[in-house]
Amino acid sequence: MLFEKFCKKIHLLLIIILLIPTILTAIWFRDGNIMGVAESGLPFYNFKTQFNLNKDAWSSYALGFPNNIGVASSPTYWFFAVLQSIGIPSFLLQMLFFWLVLVISGIGIFLLAKELFPKLENKFLIVAVLFYWFNPFSMLNIWNRFLNNFLLSYAFIPIALYLYIRGINQKKYLFAILIGFLSLAFSHAQTSMTSNIIFWLILLYASLFYIFIDREWTKKIFIFKFFMLTLFFWVLINIWWIGQIVSYVFLGSFNTVSSSAFTVYGNYQTFSSLSKSLGNMVDITRLSHNSFFSSSDISWIKIFNFPLLSLFNFLMVAIVLIPLIFIKNRSVFFAGGLFLMGMFLAKGNNPPFGEINDQLFLLSPVMQLFRNPFEKFGFLMAFSSALLFALGLYFVNALLNKYKKVFYLFIMLAIILIWGMPFWTGFVFVGFEEPINNPSISYKVKVPQYYKEASKWLESQKEDFRILVLPLGGEGITYKWEKGYSGLELTNQLLPKSAVSFNTNIPFYDEVSKNIEKLFLTTTDFLPAANALNTKYIMLRQDVDWELRKMKNPKVLLSVLEEKQQKGELKKVAQYGELTFWEIMSKKKDKIYTSSATILSYSKPEISDLDFSESNLVINSKDESNKIPSDKIEGEIIHPQAKFFLDHPREPIFEIRQDIFPHVSILPTEKIYPLVILKDRAEEATIKDMEKLLEYRVVTLGKRLVEVKLSADLNYEKGIILAIKGYRNLLVRTFNLIEEFEKSDQGNRQAALQSELYLLFSRHIKVWEDTIKKSDLSDYARLEAEDVLKELKTYLVRAYIYPANGFLISDKFPIKRRVVYNFEIKNSGEYELLWDKKILDGFYKLSVGDQIILQIDDKFSTRKIENDGKGHGSLGKINFEKGSHEIGLNLPDALNLVDAPQEINFKVDHGSKVSLFPVKNYDPYSSYSVDFDYWIKKGNGVQILIYDKKPENITPNTKPSATFVVGPDLYDYTPKNIFRGFKLPEGVDDATVALTVFPWNDCETIFYSKGRGRCKNENFRRPYDRTTEVDIKNLNVGRDFTDLPMLVREDLTPTNEAPRLEFQKLDPTTYQVTIEDARESFFLIFSELFDPGWRIVDTDGKFLNYPHFLANGYANSWYVDKTGSYKIILKFIPQYLLDYGVKISTIAIIVGIIFILYKTARRKNV
Amino acid sequence: MFKIIKTSLLIGCFFIIVYLSIDSFVEGGYFEAYIYWFFLIGLLYFIWQWRKNSRFSLYFAFVLFIISSMVVTLGFRSVGEFIMRLSFVFLLIGYIQSLIEFKNTQTETRYK
C-alpha cells in the first residue's frame, strides 16, 4: 500500500531512476580508474587527441584514413575535451557518461511506456525501466560489449521513439524538430551505421503501423508527412556527417574497401556462422547470447546456467508474451510487432523461414552490415520486450489476487538481484581473456605515467613524422600495466604522433603493416622503407603481453636494434619507462617529396619493391601507367597474378563415384526428370556454406555429365540435348561462384582448390572428348558438346584452374610437385626472373650454380641459378612480349630440418612417451610440413604436437600451438604415411615437433554410463592401460616452398634532379606545397594512405587533374608535368563537404530554434 | 468429395512434415529448413478450413513455448529448439490474425 502510494508520485519514481544509476556508477568507478576494452579503445584517456583524430574528414591515425562517419563523434569528444581541459578527472567523465546513459535510457523507456500504456500504474512502468537496464541482452551486448556508440544508441532510441509517437498522438510537427535536435546531442551514437538503420527502421515501422491501424485518412496523411518531416530535418541537422558517407561511397574509397576487405562471400559466411551459433530460438527468446552464456571461462556466467535460473529466464519471456496472447490493444500490437520483427531478424538465416533473411542479406548491400544479426537486431527485442513486460506483469498480477504483491516484489527483486547481479558486482565488465578476466582488473585501466612523459617529448617536436612501433601485432593488444588492458591497439590514442603500431585489414595499410616488422628484421637496408613511411623513430615497447598476443619477443628486437645502432643505422635517443625511442639516422625524405623517376609494379603492390628503386618510388597502376613517358621509368616489377599446382600426373578416367560422377538412375528423357532437377535445386538452396555449395555444384555438374554420357551410350538424342543444357546452366553458376571465391579473402583457399578442381575437371574434359568421338552421335549433339567443352576450357583458364599452356611434360621434366606462375606483362622487354634468397638459404636441396628446367609458356628452358648479390636468387633474363605468360618448374626438394633417427620405436605400457625434435634454421615467416611413415602395431596412434618453444622450455603443461592425431587404426594395421602442414604465428622464434604416444585405455568405455569422470584419475585408469606400439620411420620436417617469383626489368638509373619543395601542413586535410624550379615533369609523393579523395588544387581552388597513382604500396603519387616555381595545395576533397555540411546544419539548427520559439509563443498566446 | 480432397491434402502435408523431420533429425539431411514452410502451409490451410481465430494460434504458441521451456530446462536443447521454432510460427500467424481481427473490429481489451 505504502509502496503503491510511493510509486504513484511520479517525481519519486524519477528519484529511483536517478538513484540506481548513481549507486551503480559509484560502485564501478569507486577506485578512480577509467575503463576501456575492445574496439572502443580508451577514448576517456585523452579527449583532446580523440577530438583531433576525429574532427576532420581525414584522420592522421597510423598512415591516415578517411574518417567517414567517424566525424559524427567529434561533438561528443569536443564536449568531454572541454571538461577534461578544466581539470575534471577522466574517471569522473566516464562515470558521468555512464550515468547519463542509464538515466536517459531509463527516462526514455519510462516515458515511452507511459505514452503507449497511459493507464498503467507507475509501479509497473518502473519495472519496464529495470527490465531494460538489466536484461541479458543489455548485460552482454550493451554493457559487456562496451562500445560507446552502442551505449548511446541504447539511451537515444527509446526517448527518440517516445517523441515520435507523442508527435503522432498529438499531431504536432514540433516533435519532428525535437527528434532532430536530440540526434545532434547523440551524434556519437550515429557513428554506428547499423544503429542509424535500426533507428530509422523503428520509425518507419511505427509510421506504417499507425497508418495501417488508424482509420482516419487525415491521420494517415499526417503520419506520412510527419515521417517525411522528421527524416528531412534529421538529414539537415546531420548533413555534416552524412556528407562524409556520401563522399566515401561515391569518391572511390568505399569501392576499394568493399572489394578488397569485405566481400559478399565473406560477409555471408560470417552471417551464416553467427546465425548458427547465436540465432537459436531458445536463446534469442530469452535475449541470451548463446556463446557467452554457455562459456565456461567466466565463473559467474555458470550461475545463469542453473536449471532454476534458466526457468526464471523463460518465466520472464512468458510474461513478455502474455500481452501478445491475451490483450488486444494497439500499443500491444505495436510493441509485439517490434518484438516479433526483432526475433525474426535476430535469428539470422536459421529456421524457420531463414531463406527470407538469406535473400534480404544477399540482395541488399545495406544488410551486409548486419553480419551479426543477434547483436544488431536483438536490440529491437530487448527494447520492445521491456514495454510488453510491464503490461504482462500487470496482467499476471491482476490474476493473482492476494499474492499479487508478493509476486510483484518477487519479480522486481529478481530483476534487480538476479539479472542485476553482474551490474552490482561489476562482473558485467569482466571479459574472457587476460587481464580483463580478473574481476579485480576487469575493464579498468591505469595508463602508466611514462606515456605522458613520452607524449610531452614527442609533442615538443614540431615536424610531421611517424613512429614505427615494435613489437607489432594485430589490431588487438594486451598491456601488462598495473590495471592492464586488452582491446584495440592504443598507441595512436596514447601518443600525439601517428604510429604504425598494429596490423589490420585496411586496404593498402595492411600491405605495409603486415610486412614492415619482417622487413625491419630481415632486410639489410631498412632506410628505403623508413623513408617511404616518413618514419623518424622506432619505438620499442616492453610493456605488452607479447607471449599472449604471439608477438615478437621485445628482447629479440632489442638485440636487433642494438646491432643496427652499432652499424650506425639507428641511435637510441630517449627512454621513458618501458618505452625506448631509436632515431633512424640519415632519414632523407619528408612526408611530401619529389622524384624524377619511378619503378612500375604490377599485380600486387609491395613495399619491399622499393629495394629496386633508387629514386625511392614504386608506383602501382593498372590503367594510367601509359601516361608516364618511358624516360621516367626506372624499371618494372611484375608479381605473378596466379599460381597453379599439380603434385603428380594422373590419368583422367571415368568412374562412378559419389564425389565426382554420382550414380544416375533417371535420364532426362524420363517424365519424372524435372523432379530430379527440382530436388537438386531444393537441396542446393539449403546449403549455407559457400565452400560446401561449390562442392555440391561441382558434384551435380558431374551428375549432369553422367546423364550426357548415359544418354549418348543409349543414343537418346533428346536426352543428350537436355543434359547438355542442364550442364551448361550449372557450369555458368559454378564458375560464377568460383570467381566469387577469387574476389574474397579466401584467395588462399581458392589456390588450394585449384589443384582439386584441375584434377576433377580433367576428368570432365576426358568424358566430353570421349563423347564427341562417338560415331553414332548426331551432328547437332556433337556441335553442342564441342561448344560446351570449349566453354569449359575457357572458364578453366579464366578462373586460373588450368594453365593456358597446360603442364608440360618430358622425360627430363616429369610432373613432380609442378608449380606454374602466371604473369601479365604490360611492356615487351627482357625481364630477370628472381626469387627471394630464402630459396638458397639452407631450406632446399638447391644451391648457386644448380641447373633448373623451366616451362616458359609452351617451351622448355634450362637455367642456372645465381645469386644476384641483392638478396635474390636469379634464373637469368627472359624476353617477353606484352600479354599473359606462364613460367613453371618442379619445386626443389626440401631439406630435413630436424635431426631424427631413421627409425623410432614407441612402446608404452603406462603414462606416455614423448620425443622432441627442434626445427633447425626456423623462419617464423614460413610454413612447414611434417611427414613420416608409421606402423601402428598395437593400441593407439601417435599425436604430433607443434610447440612454439625450444625443447628445454617445454613442460608437460605447455600448450602446443597445433595438434594432429594419427590413428588409431581400427581395422587395417599396416604401414602408412602421414603428411601435415603447420604455420606458427610470426612472433614465434622457435619451433619444436613432438611425437607423443599414449597407452590404449578403455576405462571411459567401461564406465561410460556410471562415472566415467573417475577415469581422469591416473591411478583409477591405470589398470585399464594396454600397451601401444608404434614404429615411425623417415621423420621429415621441411619448409614449404611458398615464395613467389618476380620478373624485374631495370631500365635506367635516374639522372635528372627532381625539383625541391617546401610544404606546410595547414590541417590534416590541407597541405600547401611550394615547388621550386621544376625544369621538367616529376612525381610528387604524398606519404598518407592512398585515397581518391586526395586531389591537387591550385591556389585559386581549381582542380589540377594530374594522374594519381598508388605509390610505395600505400601512399599517393601524382605525375606532375608543370615546370617552373609555383604553389599547389593537396586537399582531401570530402573536407569541403564537411565544411559546407556544418554550415547547412547550423542554419537548420537556427531555423529549428525559431520554429520552436514561434510555436511556444503561439501556444502561450492561445 | 471436396472435403475428402481437403482432408487428404492436410494428411499429405502432415506426412511430408514427418518425413522431413525424420530426414533432418535421423538422416541429417538437407531439408530441415523446409519443414517449417510445409508446417506453415499446413497450419494456414488448417486455420482456413476450420475457421480458427487468432486465439487458437496464440494459445498454441504459448503452450508450445511453455513445453519448449520445460524441455530445454531438462536439458533436451535440440528438441526444445524444434518446439520453440514451431511456437514462433504459431506466434507469427496468431499475431497477424489478431491484428487483422483488431483492424476489422477496433475493439480493444481493457486492461484497466
Side-chain angles (χ1 to χ4, degrees):
Chain A
M1 198 70 169
L2 194 68
F3 187 74
E4 279 174 15
K5 278 183 187 172
F6 173 78
C7 275
K8 273 177 186 165
K9 304 269 182 200
I10 225 174
H11 62 276
L12 286 176
L13 200 143
L14 274 172
I15 289 173
I16 296 177
I17 294 179
L18 298 177
L19 191 66
I20 290 179
T22 309
I23 297 171
L24 275 177
T25 49
I27 292 171
W28 296 342
F29 292 94
R30 64 187 182 277
D31 49 6
N33 291 306
I34 53 169
M35 290 198 222
V37 78
E39 294 100 307
S40 267
L42 206 57
F44 285 84
Y45 175 70
N46 186 342
F47 275 109
K48 191 182 158 198
T49 309
Q50 284 298 126
F51 175 65
N52 286 335
L53 287 173
N54 289 280
K55 69 181 169 55
D56 297 300
W58 186 260
S59 171
S60 52
Y61 201 95
L63 293 176
F65 71 93
N67 255 327
N68 185 13
I69 198 171
V71 291
S73 60
S74 52
T76 310
Y77 289 144
W78 173 83
F79 173 72
F80 281 107
V82 170
L83 293 182
Q84 208 165 38
S85 68
I86 58 171
I88 300 178
S90 300
F91 83 93
L92 278 183
L93 293 179
Q94 195 166 25
M95 188 175 160
L96 171 71
F97 178 77
F98 284 1
W99 185 85
L100 285 172
V101 166
L102 282 167
V103 169
I104 296 169
S105 60
I107 291 173
I109 280 289
F110 173 78
L111 292 174
L112 183 61
K114 188 88 188 154
E115 185 67 25
L116 289 173
F117 311 115
K119 294 173 186 169
L120 209 58
E121 295 163 63
N122 287 339
K123 70 172 184 178
F124 294 106
L125 298 181
I126 190 70
V127 176
V129 176
L130 294 173
F131 187 100
Y132 189 60
W133 279 342
F134 297 132
N135 69 71
F137 181 85
S138 155
M139 186 196 305
L140 183 82
N141 292 70
I142 303 294
W143 292 98
N144 188 269
R145 190 79 178 79
F146 211 77
L147 297 174
N148 290 329
N149 50 6
F150 270 34
L151 279 164
L152 283 171
S153 293
Y154 170 77
F156 167 66
I157 292 179
I159 201 151
L161 183 62
Y162 158 71
L163 291 175
Y164 192 76
I165 291 177
R166 193 154 179 83
I168 289 177
N169 288 342
Q170 297 202 353
K171 287 179 85 172
K172 283 186 178 169
Y173 292 114
L174 176 76
F175 288 93
I177 310 294
L178 290 177
I179 291 169
F181 284 140
L182 193 70
S183 72
L184 187 67
F186 282 86
S187 63
H188 188 29
Q190 312 194 43
T191 54
S192 160
M193 202 59 210
T194 53
S195 295
N196 290 329
I197 294 169
I198 285 177
F199 170 63
W200 280 103
L201 184 71
I202 292 172
L203 293 200
L204 181 68
Y205 164 78
S207 310
L208 294 176
F209 177 83
Y210 284 107
I211 286 174
F212 173 78
I213 215 86
D214 267 304
R215 290 190 159 184
E216 289 174 36
W217 273 100
T218 50
K219 186 76 183 280
K220 284 178 198 275
I221 291 165
F222 167 79
I223 295 169
F224 175 74
K225 286 193 208 162
F226 184 67
F227 177 78
M228 293 313 289
L229 180 70
T230 310
L231 179 63
F232 178 70
F233 196 69
W234 181 84
V235 169
L236 275 187
I237 285 270
N238 295 291
I239 192 78
W240 53 284
W241 62 262
I242 294 173
Q244 294 304 295
I245 301 173
V246 174
S247 69
Y248 188 69
V249 171
F250 293 103
L251 262 178
S253 313
F254 174 75
N255 287 337
T256 316
V257 174
S258 62
S259 62
S260 60
F262 303 104
T263 60
V264 175
Y265 165 76
N267 288 343
Y268 183 75
Q269 288 295 96
T270 314
F271 174 67
S272 285
S273 81
L274 287 173
S275 300
K276 205 170 179 182
S277 59
L278 304 179
N280 294 313
M281 297 299 288
V282 290
D283 299 313
I284 60 171
T285 44
R286 287 179 289 172
L287 303 169
S288 289
H289 189 287
N290 179 30
S291 309
F292 184 82
F293 283 99
S294 57
S295 160
S296 56
D297 292 345
I298 301 178
S299 54
W300 66 268
I301 297 172
K302 289 174 194 159
I303 299 166
F304 286 90
N305 291 325
F306 286 155
L308 213 58
L309 278 191
S310 172
L311 206 59
F312 165 74
N313 282 352
F314 278 119
L315 170 71
M316 304 299 264
V317 186
I319 296 174
V320 170
L321 290 179
I322 279 171
L324 262 177
I325 311 284
F326 299 101
I327 300 175
K328 281 187 182 177
N329 170 287
R330 65 167 59 199
S331 296
V332 170
F333 284 125
F334 173 75
L338 209 53
F339 181 72
L340 289 176
M341 184 167 74
M343 207 189 263
F344 187 82
L345 294 170
K347 72 178 178 53
N349 63 6
N350 261 15
F353 320 131
E355 295 70 26
I356 296 174
N357 304 51
D358 267 341
Q359 291 309 314
L360 280 175
F361 190 86
L362 292 170
L363 294 176
S364 160
V366 173
M367 289 297 287
Q368 307 271 313
L369 296 168
F370 294 85
R371 291 183 297 273
N372 187 343
F374 177 70
E375 183 178 278
K376 305 295 189 298
F377 290 119
F379 177 76
L380 294 179
M381 291 176 66
F383 160 65
S384 51
S385 56
L387 303 170
L388 291 170
F389 186 81
L391 191 63
L393 186 63
Y394 160 80
F395 189 87
V396 177
N397 227 35
L399 294 175
L400 290 175
N401 293 324
K402 61 179 180 178
Y403 296 110
K404 62 183 175 187
K405 281 181 195 165
V406 179
F407 185 72
Y408 174 82
L409 275 176
F410 165 72
I411 292 293
M412 184 130 163
L413 287 175
I415 293 175
I416 294 173
L417 298 178
I418 298 174
W419 277 0
M421 180 274 286
F423 289 82
W424 300 111
T425 53
F427 287 160
V428 74
F429 300 121
V430 174
F432 283 96
E433 66 274 7
E434 287 177 16
I436 55 171
N437 59 359
N438 178 351
S440 69
I441 295 177
S442 63
Y443 294 174
K444 290 168 195 162
V445 182
K446 198 170 184 178
V447 181
Q449 182 62 24
Y450 52 78
Y451 274 91
K452 284 211 166 124
E453 291 160 13
S455 295
K456 212 172 158 186
W457 176 69
L458 287 169
E459 222 155 13
S460 68
Q461 302 179 52
K462 297 297 167 203
E463 302 155 70
D464 192 5
F465 59 82
R466 289 200 181 90
I467 308 166
L468 172 63
V469 181
L470 300 176
L472 192 147
E475 58 188 9
I477 200 152
T478 305
Y479 286 104
K480 294 191 288 188
W481 299 330
E482 183 193 339
K483 296 275 181 195
Y485 167 88
S486 174
L488 191 80
E489 207 279 338
L490 291 178
T491 309
N492 284 280
Q493 292 184 35
L494 299 178
L495 300 177
K497 296 284 179 187
S498 307
V500 179
S501 52
F502 60 97
N503 181 25
T504 189
N505 195 23
I506 297 172
F508 311 130
Y509 174 81
D510 64 343
E511 284 302 325
V512 171
S513 60
K514 76 183 176 198
N515 293 318
I516 195 70
E517 189 179 77
K518 177 183 166 186
L519 208 63
F520 172 74
L521 290 171
T522 55
T523 188
T524 45
D525 186 8
F526 184 63
L527 195 61
N531 273 332
L533 293 175
N534 187 29
T535 309
K536 184 176 181 186
Y537 298 117
I538 293 174
M539 183 181 99
L540 180 72
R541 51 185 172 186
Q542 305 210 48
D543 55 356
V544 292
D545 196 335
W546 56 274
E547 281 179 298
L548 185 79
R549 291 285 178 177
K550 304 286 178 199
M551 295 158 91
K552 275 271 169 223
N553 184 344
K555 284 182 183 162
V556 173
L557 291 163
L558 181 64
S559 63
V560 177
L561 286 162
E562 283 169 347
E563 203 178 292
K564 287 189 186 279
Q565 179 167 245
Q566 278 176 359
K567 286 183 193 166
E569 294 171 21
L570 300 174
K571 188 184 171 193
K572 186 175 168 183
V573 287
Q575 174 151 13
Y576 299 97
E578 300 290 324
L579 311 176
T580 46
F581 290 85
W582 305 70
E583 186 170 352
I584 294 171
M585 307 309 287
S586 62
K587 178 181 176 295
K588 285 177 190 160
K589 309 283 182 188
D590 281 321
K591 183 177 256 183
I592 304 174
Y593 63 95
T594 56
S595 170
S596 62
T598 184
I599 286 266
L600 297 177
S601 171
Y602 295 107
S603 183
K604 190 180 167 228
E606 284 181 15
I607 196 162
S608 55
D609 292 344
L610 280 166
D611 282 351
F612 296 94
S613 172
E614 291 191 22
S615 53
N616 216 57
L617 175 63
V618 172
I619 279 177
N620 179 271
S621 168
K622 284 177 184 164
D623 312 310
E624 293 193 291
S625 57
N626 55 358
K627 292 181 182 170
I628 304 170
S630 56
D631 65 334
K632 295 282 170 194
I633 298 171
E634 275 185 86
E636 287 186 51
I637 301 169
I638 321 276
H639 298 281
Q641 59 178 1
K643 179 178 157 186
F644 309 91
F645 182 74
L646 187 62
D647 198 16
H648 58 272
R650 288 181 209 174
E651 182 62 27
I653 51 162
F654 175 79
E655 57 181 329
I656 294 293
R657 258 176 64 171
Q658 210 52 30
D659 59 338
I660 301 174
F661 293 124
H663 171 74
V664 166
S665 54
I666 299 164
L667 288 178
T669 41
E670 292 180 47
K671 281 181 183 167
I672 56 166
Y673 182 74
L675 288 179
V676 173
I677 300 290
L678 193 69
K679 183 238 173 202
D680 288 347
R681 291 302 292 262
E683 266 185 2
E684 191 189 301
T686 60
I687 302 172
K688 310 286 182 198
D689 183 283
M690 287 284 186
E691 210 168 301
K692 284 186 181 158
L693 181 63
L694 181 60
E695 277 168 31
Y696 184 86
R697 281 193 188 163
V698 169
V699 171
T700 315
L701 209 53
K703 196 172 165 185
R704 296 286 94 84
L705 190 53
V706 175
E707 289 163 5
V708 174
K709 184 178 160 44
L710 291 182
S711 301
D713 289 347
L714 297 166
N715 209 4
Y716 289 164
E717 170 84 11
K718 195 181 164 194
I720 300 169
I721 303 298
L722 281 172
I724 288 177
K725 198 178 161 194
Y727 186 93
R728 184 176 262 149
N729 288 342
L730 192 55
L731 189 69
V732 176
R733 291 197 292 128
T734 306
F735 277 89
N736 285 344
L737 194 63
I738 291 172
E739 278 174 15
E740 191 61 43
F741 259 78
E742 264 182 44
K743 279 188 224 156
S744 73
D745 287 338
Q746 303 291 315
N748 292 331
R749 177 71 191 122
Q750 202 274 333
L753 274 176
Q754 176 268 323
S755 55
E756 283 171 39
L757 292 175
Y758 170 81
L759 294 170
L760 202 135
F761 281 111
S762 299
R763 291 180 187 238
H764 279 228
I765 289 172
K766 171 89 171 104
V767 174
W768 279 114
E769 284 170 351
D770 289 349
T771 308
I772 290 165
K773 278 181 205 159
K774 277 185 181 297
S775 56
D776 48 357
L777 203 67
S778 74
D779 288 346
Y780 180 65
R782 194 186 313 279
L783 275 174
E784 282 287 299
E786 280 171 354
D787 269 1
V788 175
L789 179 58
K790 207 170 143 190
E791 217 171 296
L792 173 63
K793 284 182 176 172
T794 314
Y795 272 125
L796 289 171
V797 173
R798 204 174 80 190
Y800 300 120
I801 291 168
Y802 221 87
N805 298 291
F807 292 97
L808 296 193
I809 189 162
S810 76
D811 292 343
K812 286 184 181 172
F813 192 47
I815 293 176
K816 191 184 161 201
R817 299 178 64 233
R818 173 73 59 83
V819 63
V820 175
Y821 304 97
N822 178 285
F823 295 89
E824 187 66 33
I825 306 287
K826 301 277 180 188
N827 298 303
S828 306
E830 197 174 50
Y831 290 83
E832 188 174 10
L833 179 60
L834 298 175
W835 256 276
D836 191 293
K837 72 176 170 64
K838 269 204 180 68
I839 64 165
L840 299 170
D841 270 358
F843 290 112
Y844 304 99
K845 292 173 186 167
L846 192 69
S847 48
V848 173
D850 283 356
Q851 301 274 355
I852 288 183
I853 303 176
L854 295 180
Q855 164 190 344
I856 300 174
D857 291 333
D858 56 352
K859 293 187 179 66
F860 296 109
S861 171
T862 305
R863 301 266 164 168
K864 197 190 274 184
I865 189 153
E866 307 278 0
N867 192 336
D868 78 340
K870 293 180 195 167
H872 301 102
S874 167
L875 282 172
K877 293 186 174 176
I878 308 165
N879 253 318
F880 281 118
E881 292 297 314
K882 185 182 174 185
S884 181
H885 294 274
E886 289 171 348
I887 297 175
L889 75 159
N890 288 336
L891 293 180
D893 292 331
L895 290 171
N896 191 1
L897 300 175
V898 294
D899 291 326
Q902 183 69 20
E903 195 170 334
I904 312 161
N905 178 263
F906 287 99
K907 194 171 179 186
V908 193
D909 299 321
H910 299 289
S912 66
K913 197 170 175 184
V914 186
S915 290
L916 299 169
F917 304 97
V919 179
K920 293 182 291 184
N921 196 15
Y922 179 73
D923 169 37
Y925 304 106
S926 304
S927 60
Y928 293 83
S929 301
V930 50
D931 76 285
F932 54 82
D933 302 320
Y934 68 96
W935 183 8
I936 301 170
K937 292 179 172 170
K938 279 182 193 170
N940 272 342
V942 191
Q943 279 190 9
I944 309 169
L945 308 174
I946 315 292
Y947 291 97
D948 55 10
K949 289 178 169 52
K950 287 181 179 164
E952 53 268 32
N953 298 331
I954 297 170
T955 65
N957 297 326
T958 309
K959 233 177 149 184
S961 294
T963 304
F964 307 107
V965 179
V966 184
D969 287 343
L970 297 174
Y971 171 72
D972 185 14
Y973 283 75
T974 53
K976 297 184 183 71
N977 178 269
I978 180 84
F979 175 91
R980 291 286 180 272
F982 66 90
K983 166 97 173 75
L984 300 182
E986 290 180 358
V988 169
D989 291 309
D990 298 291
T992 299
V993 175
L995 300 179
T996 310
V997 175
F998 294 95
W1000 183 89
N1001 188 291
D1002 62 350
C1003 178
E1004 291 199 6
T1005 316
I1006 293 167
F1007 294 97
Y1008 184 78
S1009 57
K1010 37 186 179 180
R1012 62 180 155 155
R1014 287 178 291 175
C1015 296
K1016 290 199 168 72
N1017 182 324
E1018 180 58 35
N1019 290 333
F1020 186 84
R1021 61 180 282 132
R1022 195 175 169 87
Y1024 304 95
D1025 279 347
R1026 299 288 181 274
T1027 306
T1028 290
E1029 194 177 344
V1030 185
D1031 283 349
I1032 286 173
K1033 283 183 188 170
N1034 307 323
L1035 172 65
N1036 189 67
V1037 176
R1039 179 181 178 272
D1040 293 340
F1041 194 100
T1042 49
D1043 313 83
L1044 294 175
M1046 56 186 154
L1047 292 172
V1048 177
R1049 180 167 67 88
E1050 286 175 278
D1051 288 350
L1052 55 92
T1053 309
T1055 50
N1056 300 323
E1057 283 259 321
R1060 280 183 298 118
L1061 65 76
E1062 281 179 6
F1063 73 93
Q1064 193 188 355
K1065 182 181 178 180
L1066 304 179
D1067 61 58
T1069 64
T1070 320
Y1071 291 78
Q1072 185 173 287
V1073 183
T1074 308
I1075 306 288
E1076 290 172 12
D1077 195 23
R1079 292 178 188 171
E1080 54 183 75
S1081 54
F1082 62 94
F1083 294 93
L1084 180 72
I1085 300 102
F1086 176 48
S1087 297
E1088 286 276 297
L1089 199 71
F1090 178 84
D1091 193 290
W1094 282 107
R1095 301 283 294 273
I1096 299 183
V1097 290
D1098 65 14
T1099 43
D1100 301 327
K1102 194 180 148 199
F1103 289 117
L1104 302 170
N1105 289 320
Y1106 298 122
H1108 187 186
F1109 301 102
L1110 172 67
N1112 300 337
Y1114 82 98
N1116 300 272
S1117 173
W1118 290 268
Y1119 178 63
V1120 181
D1121 57 4
K1122 187 177 174 186
T1123 52
S1125 298
Y1126 49 90
K1127 279 185 182 172
I1128 50 173
I1129 289 165
L1130 297 182
K1131 183 79 188 175
F1132 188 59
I1133 299 306
Q1135 182 66 27
Y1136 288 138
L1137 279 179
L1138 182 60
D1139 296 340
Y1140 289 130
V1142 169
K1143 283 174 193 161
I1144 296 170
S1145 297
T1146 311
I1147 294 167
I1149 292 166
I1150 295 165
V1151 171
I1153 291 170
I1154 293 168
F1155 181 78
I1156 290 172
L1157 291 175
Y1158 167 74
K1159 281 281 177 188
T1160 316
R1162 214 172 76 157
R1163 199 170 57 185
K1164 275 183 186 168
N1165 291 338
V1166 171
Chain B
M1 185 64 186
F2 186 55
K3 201 169 180 181
I4 292 170
I5 294 168
K6 283 196 279 188
T7 314
S8 312
L9 271 173
L10 199 65
I11 292 168
C13 216
F14 171 75
F15 278 110
I16 288 170
I17 293 166
V18 170
Y19 162 73
L20 294 178
S21 308
I22 292 167
D23 179 70
S24 301
F25 291 108
V26 182
E27 305 282 328
Y30 288 107
F31 288 110
E32 193 195 347
Y34 291 115
I35 297 172
Y36 305 98
W37 286 106
F38 280 105
F39 182 74
L40 177 72
I41 296 165
L43 182 61
L44 287 175
Y45 178 75
F46 182 84
I47 288 167
W48 171 67
Q49 174 63 25
W50 273 272
R51 309 220 179 286
K52 296 288 178 191
N53 62 13
S54 63
R55 186 173 286 192
F56 163 80
S57 313
L58 291 171
Y59 280 22
F60 241 100
F62 197 61
V63 169
L64 286 174
F65 170 79
I66 301 289
I67 294 170
S68 170
S69 310
M70 298 294 180
V71 169
V72 172
T73 308
L74 291 172
F76 302 101
R77 201 180 143 86
S78 56
V79 180
E81 175 65 20
F82 178 67
I83 299 170
M84 191 65 90
R85 287 173 181 176
L86 296 183
S87 163
F88 180 66
V89 178
F90 271 107
L91 198 60
L92 274 182
I93 299 293
Y95 173 80
I96 295 165
Q97 275 183 287
S98 184
L99 193 64
I100 294 166
E101 286 163 10
F102 176 78
K103 168 87 175 157
N104 292 336
T105 59
Q106 290 280 339
T107 43
E108 293 203 347
T109 309
R110 291 178 61 183
Y111 59 88
K112 179 78 187 176

